[in-house]
């Protein structure tokens, strides 16, 4: 089966696409550009079949990684935290106590499983509720683009 979908323009978007495919193969539901709390926006968040929440940050190179000053704030909003990088990324820059995914635009593989840090029940409920709401709103806009205009501002 050939892949006829257009490639995303930006390197980080390509990593996100391949990583999203990996996560779907693991039976996770995936959202891109998700804000768990005001001031933070993760590249990918996934909700696993048992309610587990993973956050994945896509880094296209050394400069992209060094410019990211917020990633440690994401740790409080997931059970597992991963970096998604391509095969040329200098992985020695990445903290060893985080997960590692090697990806391209077509797929990905977990090369280091992230340690688990279970969220508290109230925080898990909040993130799952916000995840469901974001997913439903995005689906509604896909089905009816004018719904975006009619929505609350």
């Amino acid at each position: 089966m050939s892949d006829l979908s257009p490639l995303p323009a930006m390197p980080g978007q390509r990593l996100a696409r391949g990583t999203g495919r990996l996560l779907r193969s693991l039976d996770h539901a995936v959202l891109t550009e998700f804000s768990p709390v005001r001031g933070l926006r993760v590249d990918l968040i996934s909700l696993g079949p048992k309610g587990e929440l993973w956050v994945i940050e896509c880094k296209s190179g050394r400069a992209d990684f060094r410019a990211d000053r917020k990633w440690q704030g994401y740790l409080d909003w997931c059970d597992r935290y991963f970096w998604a990088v391509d095969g040329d990324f200098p992985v020695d820059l990445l903290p060893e106590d985080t997960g590692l995914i090697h990806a391209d635009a077509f797929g990905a593989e977990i090369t280091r499983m992230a340690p688990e840090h279970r969220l508290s029940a109230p925080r898990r409920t909040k993130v799952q509720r916000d995840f469901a709401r974001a997913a439903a709103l995005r689906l509604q806009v896909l089905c009816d683009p004018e719904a975006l205009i009619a929505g609350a501002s």
Side-chain angles (χ1 to χ4, degrees):
M1 181 169 141
S2 67
D3 186 343
L4 299 178
S5 59
L7 286 177
M10 304 300 290
Q13 293 171 325
R14 291 180 182 165
L15 294 171
R17 182 174 103 153
T19 302
R21 289 179 175 187
L22 165 70
L23 294 167
R24 279 299 304 133
S25 77
L26 299 173
D27 200 22
H28 283 234
V30 181
L31 286 177
T32 59
E33 301 294 325
F34 176 78
S35 292
V37 67
R38 175 174 268 164
L40 295 180
R41 187 181 71 235
V42 302
D43 292 333
L44 294 167
I45 188 167
S46 73
L47 177 61
K50 296 179 181 176
E52 63 273 29
L53 292 155
W54 294 3
V55 165
I56 301 91
E57 277 298 292
C58 300
K59 294 298 168 201
S60 59
R62 180 184 304 268
D64 186 19
F65 173 74
R66 292 195 191 262
D68 187 343
R69 306 247 185 245
K70 294 184 178 182
W71 75 267
Q72 290 180 325
Y74 305 150
L75 301 174
D76 293 335
W77 299 96
C78 61
D79 296 310
R80 294 184 192 269
Y81 181 85
F82 293 86
W83 300 101
V85 299
D86 67 19
D88 295 328
F89 188 91
V91 295
D92 57 314
L93 292 176
L94 303 173
E96 289 187 18
D97 60 344
T98 57
L100 179 60
I101 296 171
H102 278 96
D104 62 23
F106 303 101
E109 68 175 311
I110 295 173
T111 53
R112 181 174 65 222
M113 179 55 77
E116 184 177 50
H117 302 284
R118 301 281 299 167
L119 291 174
S120 67
R123 178 147 300 178
R124 177 177 311 285
T125 299
K126 180 206 179 319
V127 177
Q128 288 174 337
R129 182 188 63 237
D130 292 350
F131 183 103
R133 186 169 166 74
L137 289 169
R138 291 178 191 187
L139 180 60
Q140 183 181 14
V141 169
L142 282 176
C143 296
D144 179 10
E146 290 184 29
L148 183 63
I149 297 166
S153 50

